[in-house]
Each structure stands twice: as structure tokens, then as C-alpha cells.
Amino acid sequence: MGTPVLFQPLKSDPVFLRERMGSLLPDRLLPALSNAHPLSLLLFDRGLTYLEGTWKGNSFLAVESDGYTFLPAPPPWTLLPEGPSGRTLREPSFWRSVSEILLERNNGIPSYLDGVPDASKLQGFPTPELTETEFLLCASDWKTLSGPRHKTHRWERNRLSKIVPDARVLPWDPLYRKSAHELLARFRRERERKMRGDQEKILLEDQIRAHEKALSSSRDLGLSGLLVLSQDRVLGIAWFAVLPDRRGAIQFLEAREPGLTGISVLLTHHFFALFPEVSVLNIQGDVQNQGIRRAKKLDLPCRLSPVYRITLGDSSGHTPASAEQRTLSPKIG
């Protein structure tokens, strides 16, 4: 066994987590935008418990769910700010120690770490595998929707204005919580009608649960919400996290009135108008779902950012067949 790795519960007060995890965001724009915002774990949770691990006096974050322990991603915020994260993350002995303890805690089932493309430079560490892609939208394209590239977007926006001439976009206000819940119920029924498999059902349950958590705790989670309203009826809602430097943002969630495809265009267009300093918006990954991948490509991203995965606890880099049913990925958003 390597250097002992110890775990203890992490204080779970939402305000405390927002302040602590918010400070773990990378300083540079693209690394922050090309990986999931840490608060996504607060949104897309299935009974997650946060653990604080220590290695050689340095602290790092782990997550436990249904008895299974894994490391969230990306590495820039795996270790807490007070530790020498830059050096520690590049020490193979750190990864070996954590891998061994995770393998033991998970009864021989390897854990996963997403978003570590540079880990292939570490001697004796498994090469990361490309697992999915995140989609980045540029403000320069969306502020005008000009050119043939955005012809469909302009058509959807104009069609929506004819169907709902009084549609307007406003920041989230708890006054509209009841109407937002009614929208989510309609949105859920429509998605359930079109479902074709268990994976889509799980994704929808996560999405609805995340919306409900955002509706009740958006301030504690540090999220900004936008509503599309017709009179006092909510026709669309989206939740965003603006990065501390205000140059980039991540869109977590969106729900819209069934049949009104122009809602998505309206929300994205108004987001860039309301946050003029934001230059890039991450609309998250495809979660290895071909339908979601196709839908997000329709938003015409200006950049595709790769997402990688490394297997921890298995020196061969291969996952045992028995692990397939129990493995959890921290990248659900």
C-alpha cells in the first residue's frame, strides 16, 4: 500500500459549500469552461455525500454515493486551495495512493476521474480515454445571429414571436415558482412520451431533480436563472453559473414549453445580452447520448472541448465486467 489516504465527512451547509467549492475554480477561462462546474455535483446528485480526503497533509475532495467512492473532476479543484495542488497533482505517488484506497473502499471496483487529458504525461499512470465532448458557444456569434450559419435560429426566434407575441425574458423571480413547477410537469410528460430506454429515463429524473433544487436554492448554489414569460405563465427556464472573472459561464439546465423550439434560442440570445462581459458559454456535454449530442450541435458551437476519463484503481486501465453495473460517473451534467 502507498501513503495512507484518510477520509472524513465534509461540512455540507450549502452556503459553506458554495464559498469553498467556488474558490476551487481554475483561474484561467478555458480550463474552467472545458470542465464541469463543481456545483453541477450539487445539482445532479443521487444522494451524494462529500468527503474530505488527506494525503501527506494535503486535502482533496471525494464523493460517496451508495457506498461507492469516486473523485469528482476536474483536477484543478480536486485539491483544496490551501494545498500545493499544482505539484501534488503531478505526483504519480498521489494517484497510486488514492487509487489503492479507492479500490479497497469500492470492494475491488475501480473509480473514475474525468477531465484529466494531461495525466498521460505521468509515468506509470493510465492513458485517459476520450469519452464525450462539451459544446462552447461564442457571444460574438449569438449577439447578432447574423449570417447564413444562424438562419435556422433566426427563423425559430421569428416564429416564436408570431406564436407568442408577448414573450419576454426576465431574471428568475421566486414569484413565478408555481408556474415554473407547472412548466416542469408539462416538460416531463412530453419527454416521457418520447422515451426509448432506461438511460433517457435516468437523465430526465436527474434533470427534473436538478431543476427543483435550483428553484429552491439558486442563491445558495450561485446560479442565475432566466425565464421566458407570456403574461405570468412560464414558457421556458434556464440556469447558468457565471464564472468569477465574468468572462465565461456554464448553462446547466433548460426546460421549455413542448413544441416551442424557439425558447432555447431566445434564452441563449438574451443571456449574452444580459451578461455582455461573458464571451463564451458552455452548454455542457453530450453525456454519451447521441440524441443530446445531435441536439447540442444544432446550437452551432464555436468550439468543441474534449472530455477525458481515467480509470483509478486498475493498473491495466480496464474495467472489470462486474463493475459495469455499479460504476457512477461524476460527469452527469
Side-chain angles (χ1 to χ4, degrees), residues 88-92 95 118-127 310:
T88 306
L89 285 171
R90 287 169 176 78
E91 291 189 29
W95 295 110
D118 59 342
S120 58
K121 301 175 183 177
L122 298 176
Q123 184 178 2
F125 199 66
T127 302
I310 281 181

Side-chain angles (χ1 to χ4, degrees), residues 268-321:
T268 304
H269 191 207
H270 275 263
F271 172 80
F272 282 122
L274 291 173
F275 295 88
E277 66 275 31
V278 172
S279 58
V280 182
L281 175 65
N282 183 350
I283 56 173
Q284 293 289 312
D286 54 40
V287 292
Q288 304 181 50
N289 181 291
Q290 291 301 316
I292 294 178
R293 176 185 289 268
R294 287 193 297 270
K296 293 195 173 183
K297 280 187 175 180
L298 293 176
D299 283 330
L300 301 178
C302 61
R303 175 169 175 164
L304 300 177
S305 180
V307 177
Y308 295 84
R309 167 178 286 181
I310 281 181
T311 302
L312 300 177
D314 181 4
S315 59
S316 66
H318 299 293
T319 304

Side-chain angles (χ1 to χ4, degrees), residues 76-122:
W77 60 271
T78 301
L79 294 176
L80 297 176
E82 57 266 24
S85 58
R87 294 191 301 274
T88 306
L89 285 171
R90 287 169 176 78
E91 291 189 29
S93 56
F94 166 74
W95 295 110
R96 282 195 297 269
S97 299
V98 173
S99 296
E100 289 169 354
I101 196 66
L102 288 178
L103 195 65
E104 180 181 341
R105 288 176 66 91
N106 297 334
N107 296 320
I109 297 177
S111 180
Y112 294 112
L113 177 67
D114 292 339
V116 281
D118 59 342
S120 58
K121 301 175 183 177
L122 298 176

Side-chain angles (χ1 to χ4, degrees), residues 179-197:
S179 183
H181 279 293
E182 293 170 350
L183 167 67
L184 290 178
R186 297 191 297 272
F187 176 79
R188 181 170 192 161
R189 287 195 297 270
E190 176 69 11
R191 292 299 174 94
E192 288 175 339
R193 186 177 64 84
K194 297 180 179 179
M195 278 182 183
R196 298 180 181 178

Side-chain angles (χ1 to χ4, degrees), residues 82-287:
E82 57 266 24
S85 58
R87 294 191 301 274
T88 306
L89 285 171
R90 287 169 176 78
E91 291 189 29
S93 56
F94 166 74
W95 295 110
R96 282 195 297 269
S97 299
V98 173
S99 296
E100 289 169 354
I101 196 66
L102 288 178
L103 195 65
E104 180 181 341
R105 288 176 66 91
N106 297 334
N107 296 320
I109 297 177
S111 180
Y112 294 112
L113 177 67
D114 292 339
V116 281
D118 59 342
S120 58
K121 301 175 183 177
L122 298 176
Q123 184 178 2
F125 199 66
T127 302
E129 299 178 21
L130 180 64
T131 59
E132 58 181 280
T133 300
E134 292 188 331
F135 302 84
L136 308 183
L137 305 182
C138 289
S140 56
D141 292 340
W142 278 81
K143 285 181 179 178
T144 61
L145 293 182
S146 60
R149 188 166 176 263
H150 287 281
K151 179 180 179 181
T152 301
H153 290 149
R154 292 195 302 274
W155 179 85
E156 289 182 345
R157 184 186 59 184
N158 295 337
R159 180 173 180 269
L160 179 64
S161 66
K162 293 179 180 179
I163 298 175
V164 191
D166 65 338
R168 65 193 192 280
V169 179
L170 296 176
W172 161 249
D173 189 323
L175 174 68
Y176 299 104
R177 182 174 285 119
K178 180 180 178 181
S179 183
H181 279 293
E182 293 170 350
L183 167 67
L184 290 178
R186 297 191 297 272
F187 176 79
R188 181 170 192 161
R189 287 195 297 270
E190 176 69 11
R191 292 299 174 94
E192 288 175 339
R193 186 177 64 84
K194 297 180 179 179
M195 278 182 183
R196 298 180 181 178
D198 291 339
Q199 183 185 24
E200 292 185 1
K201 181 178 180 180
I202 293 172
L203 290 173
L204 179 62
E205 290 176 352
D206 279 344
Q207 190 175 8
I208 297 299
R209 185 184 297 111
H211 270 291
E212 292 173 346
K213 184 169 289 188
L215 287 173
S216 62
S217 308
S218 59
R219 179 173 296 181
D220 290 338
L221 295 173
L223 296 178
S224 299
L226 289 183
L227 298 172
V228 177
L229 298 172
S230 174
Q231 298 180 4
D232 287 337
R233 185 183 184 187
V234 176
L235 301 180
I237 186 169
W239 297 98
F240 305 84
V242 180
L243 299 183
D245 59 10
R246 310 289 290 183
R247 293 171 55 209
I250 300 171
Q251 179 179 349
F252 287 115
L253 299 163
E254 180 184 299
R256 64 174 184 265
E257 188 74 22
L260 296 181
T261 56
I263 294 290
S264 298
V265 175
L266 199 63
L267 285 166
T268 304
H269 191 207
H270 275 263
F271 172 80
F272 282 122
L274 291 173
F275 295 88
E277 66 275 31
V278 172
S279 58
V280 182
L281 175 65
N282 183 350
I283 56 173
Q284 293 289 312
D286 54 40
V287 292

